[in-house]
Amino acid sequence: MKKGTSRIELYFSLTLISVLILSAAAFFMGVKVGADKVETKYSYLKITPAEPEFNDSYQQQDLVTFYHTVFLPYREFKSEWVAKTETISQTEDSSQVKKILKQLRNLADEKYNAITKTTLYSASPMLQESQTELLKSISLFRESADNISSSSISNSGEKLMKEFQHNDLYTKGIIYGLSAQKKYYNSMLKWNAKVDPSLTLQYDFSKDLSFTSWKKYSLIVKNAAVSTILTKKSIYGAYDPQDMTARIDNMINSGKIQSMNLHSVEAVINLLNNTDAVKENDFKKWKNKYYTNELLPQIPFFYDIS
């Protein structure tokens, strides 16, 4: 009798447990189905966080930070390099030439180290590429100074500079420097398009620009065009693209292009380069006359600040 009762109690317990398990399963299944229905019903309200934009983020702060940490040290290097190499070309004293070459190598080391201190531009690929190319430019200039220094004993400064200009390392240093400069100014173009969506990025600077097209451009677009032309023609000077832009605009506005029978922007650039007419900070001379209403990032070389 007790044995039969125990079996009944066991069956009853197992049945009760099974019912509880099935009930719990049904409950949780119902919760899931209900949750899915609610999520589907109100899915139009769901906001998906935007993915961070890593590949095309050209903010004003990026451009300003890049100027102070990368472009300014290179700008200082370029200015001194051009000045000192001009001094070499006018020097007959070989000991003085060797002294200047040593100064150039030390300058290259100093500015290279300054530019490598900061790398913050992964969100702006052109700025990152520009930094890399500026470092390559300085490194190649330094190597060229090392190679040329052995010739300074027997050659005059003028002959030495001709060697410089035909040195493969030197010419590659120029190419990298101009390419990096172009990318920085094209980054400003991207920033400009973000600030003013009505602007286009579809510019073809590979063709010879007419004055009609040039006059329609904003300063930012003109600078990007100039930096592209300087790169294509391997024109390397101590000045910035906006200095060349200001010179071009002054020639157009003064009527000199007609009197000199010039028919394109490239023709003006060739003339200005051949006559060594563009100088550092020329932009600031004509800023108030031609560019007071321009939309510009807060980069120091556009303003009267250091």
Side-chain angles (χ1 to χ4, degrees), residues 202-211 213-214 217 221-222 224-230 232-233 263-267 269-270:
Q202 303 304 313
Y203 299 105
D204 185 3
F205 300 138
S206 63
K207 298 177 181 177
D208 203 354
L209 285 174
S210 68
F211 296 122
S213 298
W214 175 267
Y217 292 160
V221 179
K222 289 177 180 177
V226 167
S227 67
T228 300
I229 295 168
L230 294 178
K232 181 172 69 173
K233 292 182 170 292
H263 301 290
S264 70
V265 171
E266 284 198 23
I269 289 176
N270 286 335

Side-chain angles (χ1 to χ4, degrees), residues 43-58:
S43 60
Y44 71 96
L45 293 175
K46 187 177 180 180
I47 300 174
T48 303
E51 288 290 329
E53 192 172 318
F54 289 114
N55 295 322
D56 195 19
S57 178
Y58 295 89

Side-chain angles (χ1 to χ4, degrees), residues 172-191:
K172 284 181 179 178
I174 287 175
I175 291 168
Y176 276 119
L178 290 171
S179 174
Q181 177 176 261
K182 182 181 74 171
K183 286 173 180 175
Y184 185 35
Y185 281 82
N186 280 335
S187 296
M188 295 179 211
L189 195 60
K190 282 185 171 285
W191 165 83

Side-chain angles (χ1 to χ4, degrees), residues 74 129-130 132-138 140-141 169-183 231 236:
Y74 186 81
E129 290 169 13
S130 180
T132 300
E133 290 181 349
L134 290 176
L135 289 170
K136 287 180 180 179
S137 176
I138 292 176
L140 286 164
F141 278 134
L169 296 172
Y170 181 75
T171 55
K172 284 181 179 178
I174 287 175
I175 291 168
Y176 276 119
L178 290 171
S179 174
Q181 177 176 261
K182 182 181 74 171
K183 286 173 180 175
T231 302
Y236 190 84

